[in-house]
Amino acid sequence: MAEKIIRDPVHDVIAFRMERPLDRMLFGLLNAAELQRLRRVRQLGMAHLAYPGADHSRYSHSLGVMETARRILDHLAGEIEIDPGRRTVCLVAALLHDLGHGPFSHVFERISGVRHEELTCRVIEDPDSDVHRLLREHEAQLPQSVADLMRCQPGRSVFSDVLCSQLDADRFDYLLRDSLMTGSQYGGFDLRWVIHAMTIDPAGDRLAVTWKGISAVEAYLQSRYHMYRNVYFHKVVRSADGMVKLALQRARRLAVQDRLTWPAPESAVHQALLGRRLSIEQFRDLDDVSLLHCFKVWTGGDDAILAGLCRGLLFRQLYKVIDFSHRQDGQWVSDVVQRAVAAVEEAGGDGDYDLFLDEPADTPYELYGPQRTATAAQEIMVRGPDGRLSEFAAASPFTQGLCRQLSFRRLHVNARYHQTVLEALGSSLQ
């Protein structure tokens, strides 16, 4: 049978040998309606407003995660015997891990209250989905096995580490892909060498790296730090994401009051925004396109606040930023925000929608205490020349700085009231 080739900007050739049942099934999943939906969901939400090239989709990322997981498992197979069934479950889970993501990255999820991880498992377990049918045709228990791995049931293993850990296929791919597509060049690291350095802790059935890979892992962790600092927490990206959140909050409030015009009755966006359970057909329609269509309709609606937010998102009229990340005094921040709200309202604006405080934070490398559960992630473990395992932070002093939280504190203000707020705050910002 013919070999199927996909050319990927990150991993180059991704091949499927169609005479192999696993490859044939994986390639079939790529064409499932639920996975094709991810072509219409941007990987980085509104980041294209700051980085015009960041139009890549969660579909391409999902393909990349599967290929990265495959390369990791192929490498580990040279050290231990990899059970074919568990390998199949891991690769399927890697391909489907983002299946439940809604429009505009994580913003829609926060408003609807539906976690994408649980929605992913729900779709996999739903007999009406193409994904479920294809998995059952391969093996009757495969849908449940994949969902169990995603939920880390019954506990953590090498395979769950490949899927989700501080050294997983998901992070490897999104850092390289997001760096490439944004053109930022902050996320580059030597993936081939990191994979080459991977090994297994047989006692704990967990991933580890050899001491020869310390420098490569340090570069990977540093790239994660820089991508969060310069791309994911970019002020324009955060301003747009915040406006999406405000628009969805406003739309949900109006929908509950039956004061919102919808492009179509009982639409997927309508149902999801109100936290209602979606049918598979509705789920397939829940994407960036459907939400953007709502934004277009709402720009002509009766609610001036929602119309203004949607117009700003469609035509890149974003909120202006007042940055006071250097201030650590929580009371000072609270006082400044209250004064800013008062200034906006005195000028005729709305204190709930014409400004918002944004405090994004991330810890590039997590340290875990002894109280972690069986399903929790762990620190990266290093196997030394003597064969003993140690925690990565102990083997690499470089990581000490990455254990500290990276955070910003910014006030985003409707451009109409930006100067008003600046004048009201005056010298207190200095």
Side-chain angles (χ1 to χ4, degrees), residues 109-125:
E109 177 180 350
R110 296 188 188 105
I111 301 302
S112 66
V114 180
R115 296 176 64 249
H116 75 272
E117 295 92 348
E118 188 52 42
L119 187 52
T120 293
C121 291
R122 193 188 306 168
V123 173
I124 290 171
E125 294 169 332

Side-chain angles (χ1 to χ4, degrees), residues 138-202:
H138 186 82
E139 182 186 329
Q141 297 302 315
L142 191 53
Q144 189 61 54
S145 298
V146 172
D148 286 345
L149 178 62
M150 289 181 167
R151 293 174 176 137
C152 287
Q153 296 177 350
R156 279 257 167 192
S157 66
V158 164
F159 299 97
S160 51
D161 281 352
V162 169
L163 187 65
C164 180
S165 67
Q166 294 205 81
L167 203 66
D168 64 30
D170 182 23
R171 294 187 184 191
F172 290 163
D173 183 81
Y174 77 62
L175 288 175
L176 292 173
R177 191 171 302 275
D178 296 348
S179 177
L180 175 66
M181 303 309 289
T182 58
S184 62
Q185 301 183 24
Y186 291 114
F189 63 94
D190 192 347
L191 175 62
R192 290 180 64 183
W193 190 254
V194 172
I195 292 177
H196 179 75
M198 283 185 162
T199 185
I200 293 176
D201 168 18

Side-chain angles (χ1 to χ4, degrees), residues 12 34 36 86 103 116 223 234 240-241 245 248 265 280 318 333 342 344 349 356 362 364 381 392 400 408:
D12 196 10
E34 295 82 26
Q36 287 291 314
R86 299 184 76 184
H116 75 272
S223 74
H234 189 289
D241 284 349
K245 182 179 178 180
L248 293 175
I280 285 296
L318 305 179
V333 172
V344 166
F356 63 91
D362 178 76
M381 303 302 291
F392 193 81
Q400 297 302 317
F408 292 90

Side-chain angles (χ1 to χ4, degrees), residues 43-277:
Q43 171 72 9
L44 291 183
M46 303 300 289
H48 64 285
L49 295 180
Y51 297 96
D55 276 325
H56 56 302
S57 68
R58 290 200 174 270
Y59 178 89
S60 62
H61 166 61
S62 297
L63 176 63
V65 175
M66 183 221 71
E67 177 62 13
T68 304
R70 180 159 63 175
R71 294 179 185 183
I72 293 172
L73 294 177
D74 287 348
H75 167 73
L76 294 176
E79 182 174 334
I80 65 165
E81 184 175 350
I82 300 290
D83 178 75
R86 299 184 76 184
R87 182 178 188 273
T88 294
V89 171
C90 185
L91 293 181
V92 170
L95 180 62
L96 303 181
H97 78 287
D98 270 353
L99 197 64
H101 261 294
F104 297 109
S105 193
H106 296 273
V107 180
F108 193 92
E109 177 180 350
R110 296 188 188 105
I111 301 302
S112 66
V114 180
R115 296 176 64 249
H116 75 272
E117 295 92 348
E118 188 52 42
L119 187 52
T120 293
C121 291
R122 193 188 306 168
V123 173
I124 290 171
E125 294 169 332
D126 193 322
D128 292 332
S129 71
D130 286 357
V131 163
H132 182 91
R133 175 180 55 80
L134 288 165
L135 294 179
R136 278 190 61 85
E137 287 175 358
H138 186 82
E139 182 186 329
Q141 297 302 315
L142 191 53
Q144 189 61 54
S145 298
V146 172
D148 286 345
L149 178 62
M150 289 181 167
R151 293 174 176 137
C152 287
Q153 296 177 350
R156 279 257 167 192
S157 66
V158 164
F159 299 97
S160 51
D161 281 352
V162 169
L163 187 65
C164 180
S165 67
Q166 294 205 81
L167 203 66
D168 64 30
D170 182 23
R171 294 187 184 191
F172 290 163
D173 183 81
Y174 77 62
L175 288 175
L176 292 173
R177 191 171 302 275
D178 296 348
S179 177
L180 175 66
M181 303 309 289
T182 58
S184 62
Q185 301 183 24
Y186 291 114
F189 63 94
D190 192 347
L191 175 62
R192 290 180 64 183
W193 190 254
V194 172
I195 292 177
H196 179 75
M198 283 185 162
T199 185
I200 293 176
D201 168 18
D205 190 27
R206 303 295 294 270
L207 270 182
V209 293
T210 65
W211 64 275
K212 291 183 178 181
I214 288 177
S215 293
V217 174
E218 286 174 340
Y220 150 70
L221 294 173
Q222 189 174 24
S223 74
R224 189 172 187 272
Y225 168 84
H226 286 300
M227 285 296 289
Y228 271 88
R229 182 180 182 88
N230 297 288
V231 176
Y232 307 135
F233 291 167
H234 189 289
K235 64 179 183 179
V236 172
V237 176
R238 297 296 300 185
S239 185
D241 284 349
M243 290 176 66
V244 171
K245 182 179 178 180
L246 290 175
L248 293 175
Q249 287 176 336
R250 185 67 177 182
R252 181 172 183 169
R253 179 177 179 180
L254 295 173
V256 169
Q257 299 172 353
D258 199 23
R259 295 171 48 205
L260 188 61
T261 300
W262 294 94
E266 304 302 312
S267 69
V269 175
H270 185 184
Q271 299 300 307
L273 194 60
L274 295 179
R276 297 172 182 168
R277 191 179 183 92

